[in-house]
Amino acid sequence: MMMLVRFILCLCLGFGGASYGQGGPSKLTVVATFSILGDLIRNVGGETVDVKFIVPENSDPHIYQPTPQDAALLAKADLVFVNGLDFEGWFERLIANSGYKGKVIVAGKNVSPRILVGSKGTAVDDPHAWHCVKNAILYVETIAEALIDARPDLKDMILHNKINYLKKLENLDAWVEAQYAPFPISKRLVVTTHDAFWYYGGSYKITFLSPVGISTDAEPSAAAVAHLIKEIKAKDIRAVFIESLSSRKLVEEIAAEAGVKVDGTLYADSLSAPHDSPSPASTYIDMIRHNTLEIVKGLKS
Ligand code: ZN
């Protein structure tokens, strides 16, 4: 009986009852490149990790300009995570300048990438893999493996967190699927600012159209905008969204020209900041829920 009580106490309090970093085992200092990835790591690591991310919430990771503070942050890290899939074009130079000598883990390394032909005719990966919850589950597996590899002494706690978080992600995936069940696949058509939701669309059978490609650094051509307006009219598309990091102007002009209204805001490449009011996407799970509810509302309009 005493053994059982002690075991339960250990599970609830952490091993030995001491908190991580406060007389207990030291925390692992982890740096992620952007907020969405940071949140996944925070959920897997729990109180065993101290997670910082380079690109702040509400900033655009596609066009981010690193600062000397970012290099200093990396220099102090035990472990660094990137998305990979051609997302963080600015990262290689930053890490070389930082003096960080540890491992860089590519969180998206196990997903099947969508490969496109870039503007210079070379193959590029669509980086936005996290929007498919099944891919986020692969990210979580990679994150857990890397954290345990860095700190085998924290294995039990990390595995415990991982199992709990994977259950939440599996429930989320099933919930998203159920939200779209009432809509015929042929009617699941959505317009957004840039081509960030293909993995989400692939998973839930939604076609996303956008005037800009997979990176926000590209300007849409007049022909692409005209083509999109034509498509919205021809296919009677009602679900039209701006994104939290993009200028409203382009999509508002397209919507006005096509005679439809803009439905709301989707979060593509960043979480909302905790101090935003409202802050509907302050975690990965909240972001997916928010985007799904918004899109469903748009499809009904
Ligand atoms: Zn993007």
Side-chain angles (χ1 to χ4, degrees):
M1 185 64 186
M2 273 308 288
M3 281 291 284
L4 179 66
V5 171
R6 193 179 299 165
F7 176 69
I8 292 169
L9 274 174
C10 277
L11 282 180
C12 297
L13 298 174
F15 300 92
S19 296
Y20 291 86
Q22 295 174 358
S26 63
K27 287 192 181 203
L28 194 60
T29 303
V30 176
V31 175
T33 43
F34 67 120
S35 54
I36 296 167
L37 181 55
D39 183 61
L40 296 179
I41 299 165
R42 205 182 283 136
N43 276 284
V44 180
E47 64 169 313
T48 70
V49 292
D50 183 13
V51 183
K52 304 264 193 306
F53 42 86
I54 295 171
V55 183
E57 292 112 336
N58 299 329
S59 294
D60 186 346
H62 289 291
I63 51 170
Y64 184 67
Q65 306 264 356
T67 66
Q69 288 81 359
D70 297 331
L73 194 67
L74 284 172
K76 281 189 244 152
D78 295 320
L79 200 54
V80 173
F81 286 86
V82 299
N83 181 72
L85 306 170
D86 300 324
F87 189 45
E88 302 99 337
W90 41 267
F91 180 76
E92 237 170 75
R93 222 171 119 202
L94 171 65
I95 196 110
N97 290 337
S98 74
Y100 172 77
K101 296 278 184 276
K103 283 187 182 168
V104 176
I105 309 297
V106 179
K109 69 177 181 181
N110 288 332
V111 309
S112 300
R114 172 198 188 199
I115 298 168
L116 303 163
V117 179
S119 52
K120 290 170 193 148
T122 50
V124 287
D125 292 335
D126 176 352
H128 306 88
W130 57 87
H131 283 294
C132 165
V133 180
K134 290 176 187 74
N135 282 343
I137 288 171
L138 297 176
Y139 278 47
V140 163
E141 293 286 0
T142 300
I143 291 165
E145 199 180 285
L147 294 179
I148 292 168
D149 189 43
R151 284 288 298 275
D153 59 313
L154 305 176
K155 182 178 175 184
D156 289 354
M157 184 56 90
I158 291 164
L159 285 180
H160 175 78
N161 293 341
K162 181 188 90 166
I163 290 164
N164 280 343
Y165 192 51
L166 286 182
K167 268 187 217 148
K168 289 183 189 174
L169 293 180
E170 281 157 12
N171 289 339
L172 177 71
D173 191 37
W175 177 85
V176 177
E177 186 100 44
Q179 303 315 300
Y180 292 112
F183 302 98
I185 291 170
S186 62
K187 298 281 179 203
R188 297 181 197 174
L189 300 166
V190 180
V191 171
T192 58
T193 317
H194 85 298
D195 192 11
F197 294 97
W198 186 89
Y199 291 94
Y200 181 96
S203 200
Y204 308 113
K205 302 185 177 60
I206 302 162
T207 302
F208 283 88
L209 306 163
S210 64
V212 183
I214 56 167
S215 179
T216 50
D217 63 1
E219 283 290 320
S221 68
V225 170
H227 179 71
L228 183 55
I229 292 166
K230 226 165 149 185
E231 288 240 284
I232 296 171
K233 286 180 177 167
K235 294 180 177 160
D236 193 24
I237 300 173
R238 304 291 175 81
V240 177
F241 294 91
I242 52 169
E243 289 166 19
S244 64
L245 302 177
S246 307
S247 112
R248 304 178 62 92
K249 206 169 153 250
L250 175 63
V251 170
E252 278 175 347
E253 280 172 7
I254 289 169
E257 195 71 30
V260 294
K261 67 177 180 55
V262 175
D263 284 291
T265 303
L266 302 182
Y267 288 79
D269 298 338
S270 160
L271 298 177
S272 57
H275 57 262
D276 289 350
S277 178
S279 182
S282 59
T283 66
Y284 172 77
I285 289 178
D286 283 353
M287 176 187 77
I288 296 289
R289 288 183 67 88
H290 167 84
N291 287 345
T292 302
L293 290 171
E294 287 292 297
I295 293 168
V296 165
K297 214 164 68 189
L299 291 175
K300 281 184 186 160
S301 63

